[in-house]
Amino acid sequence: MSEQKQAQQQVVIVGAGMAGVQTAVALREQGFTGPVTLIGAEPHQPYDRPPLSKAILLGKAEDSVFDVDFEALDVDLRLGLDVTGLRPADHEIDTEAGPVPYDVLVVATGAHPITLRGAEGVPGVHLLRTLDDAVRLGPVLERRHTVVVVGAGWIGAEFATAAREAGCAVTVVEAADRPLAGALPAEVAAPMSGWYAASGAELLTHARVDTVRPGRVVLADGRELPADAVVVGIGARPATGWLAGSGMALDPSGAVTADERLRTSLPDVYAVGDCASYPSARYGERLLVHHWDNALQGPRTVAAAITGADTGPYDPVPYFWSEQFGRFVQYAGHHADADELLWRGDPADDTWSVLWLRAGVPVALLAVGRPRDLAQGRKLIEAATPVDPERAADPSVPLKAAVR
């Protein structure tokens, strides 16, 4: 794109989380000279989310504001502004403060936490998605309250970890038969059940919440759990309700169906981060990745597409990490169509890994306290390098030495 054309192009980014902020940064890094407007619904300076369930929650950090000088980048930051609609024919978005025109629009609105039906408005019920959520939960931990966590997924485990560290009595209620039921196969997730008890938290599986009342949670089987506070961590949905009526193509989950360059079905509109799915040639299916690394990497593809410096299709190896119950858990890849699962180490030990193969080629890896496995396995996945299953299953053999 010529500099003259760029200088006239107005790029508007909706969503000031990691994906939105990094899109603005990537545009400037890639030499885009036109006006860039970044709109955020929250009033706070844009901040990083992972510390919310860790340092900020425990009062070990004041905030996690991105180290980005928006003024120096010449990015017009508009905070505390809700975007209510998109009119593609007019190349305008609607906001509470009136319409905002765009030449290029980037949708980076992330995801909303799923609420627990019937619990909205009940005193003491919390979500953990925003800085304000973490600030509200701080005093709960300080007072060492009795806490019930609904959902034994990644966020539930991280909050339970922080609550135990703060000295709270913690019960985690999970409808499935194991933690992380939606993320990992039974044999891999099962050993993690023991982590809860070892930390002093109680994990109740096959447990459904019937009602939440002030001071207690009533389960479907009639059990009542005392609860000074209830923290709900049962997943998130793409925050795309504001696109209703725009003609934007969404998948059944509500995610924007972006293409391999993160372009949407509407002209001059891109989508990135938690709110967008993309087609993965690597895995042969459309992926919706609700993790920090996706919100960090995708913006480079969007910026390259906007500036005309095409860097090829967006198809990274998905990656995320979680700190829970004194363990550093990392995952790379996508194991859905693997045909072989290899254990590296004993899941009863403090450190172990699981490697998934498809036709002898690594497609995913879960590492518990084995960061070297993760680093080497991720490279093998990226390069689609076949491994010798026998050597790959030997935890004393470095993964890079298990190559066929």
Side-chain angles (χ1 to χ4, degrees), residues 113-403:
I114 297 170
T115 55
L116 187 62
R117 199 175 60 205
E120 298 96 325
V122 177
V125 176
H126 302 264
L127 298 165
L128 181 50
R129 185 78 184 182
T130 68
L131 182 58
D132 289 339
D133 293 337
V135 168
R136 278 190 290 266
L137 276 163
V140 170
L141 270 57
E142 283 170 24
R143 295 185 200 119
R144 300 187 173 184
H145 276 173
T146 299
V147 179
V148 171
V149 181
V150 183
W154 300 112
I155 197 72
E158 290 184 2
F159 179 79
T161 299
R164 284 300 300 139
E165 196 175 317
C168 297
V170 178
T171 304
V172 181
V173 176
E174 171 56 53
D177 61 349
R178 62 187 187 276
L180 295 166
L184 296 172
E187 62 190 300
V188 178
M192 298 175 172
S193 296
W195 298 357
Y196 287 78
S199 80
E202 185 177 10
L203 173 65
L204 303 179
T205 55
H206 297 290
R208 292 188 178 277
V209 174
D210 181 59
T211 51
V212 178
R213 298 184 182 136
R216 62 197 165 122
V217 172
V218 182
L219 302 182
D221 62 9
R223 281 180 290 177
E224 294 196 9
L225 308 175
D228 297 317
V230 179
V231 177
V232 179
I234 53 176
R237 287 200 184 97
T240 54
W242 66 281
L243 295 169
S246 68
M248 177 82 78
L250 307 176
D251 70 17
S253 76
V256 177
T257 49
D259 70 5
E260 75 286 350
R261 299 297 197 281
L262 301 180
R263 296 171 295 215
T264 73
S265 63
L266 298 176
D268 306 315
V269 183
Y270 296 80
V272 67
D274 288 6
C275 66
S277 66
Y278 61 90
S280 169
R282 184 190 304 277
Y283 292 107
E285 62 180 285
R286 182 168 281 279
L287 298 183
L288 175 60
V289 179
H290 278 207
H291 292 297
W292 184 92
D293 192 63
N294 178 50
L296 175 68
Q297 293 204 60
R300 295 170 197 147
T301 295
V302 170
I306 291 171
T307 58
D310 188 7
T311 52
Y314 182 66
D315 198 7
V317 172
Y319 168 75
F320 70 91
W321 78 97
S322 175
E323 294 174 72
Q324 49 184 270
F325 308 116
R327 291 166 175 83
F328 187 45
V329 183
Q330 296 169 284
Y331 179 94
H334 182 65
H335 64 263
D337 61 351
D339 54 32
E340 191 173 1
L341 185 154
L342 304 176
W343 287 92
R344 287 174 58 79
D346 185 339
D349 293 341
D350 287 340
T351 67
W352 47 274
S353 297
V354 171
L355 183 67
W356 285 269
L357 308 179
R358 186 180 63 227
V361 175
V363 291
L365 182 127
L366 175 82
V368 177
R370 290 181 67 103
R372 189 172 295 170
D373 274 8
L374 191 288
Q376 295 180 11
R378 191 177 183 180
K379 286 177 180 169
L380 297 178
I381 295 165
E382 281 171 352
T385 306
V387 295
D388 178 291
E390 200 170 317
R391 287 178 63 73
D394 183 343
S396 69
V397 175
L399 274 172
K400 65 182 180 184
V403 171

Side-chain angles (χ1 to χ4, degrees), residues 15-18 21 38-49 52 56 62-72 75-81 130-132:
M18 171 63 89
V21 167
L38 180 62
I39 299 175
E42 292 184 58
H44 311 288
Q45 281 292 307
Y47 60 87
D48 204 5
R49 289 191 192 281
L52 297 183
I56 291 172
E62 288 295 310
D63 59 41
S64 56
V65 169
F66 289 118
D67 185 19
V68 175
D69 188 336
F70 292 101
E71 203 171 324
V75 170
D76 180 17
L77 197 55
R78 302 184 64 181
L79 301 174
L81 184 60
T130 68
L131 182 58
D132 289 339

Side-chain angles (χ1 to χ4, degrees), residues 11-15 19-21 23-24 27 36-40 104-108:
V11 175
V12 175
I13 303 164
V14 181
V21 167
T23 299
L27 280 167
V36 175
T37 301
L38 180 62
I39 299 175
V104 177
L105 177 67
V106 181
V107 178

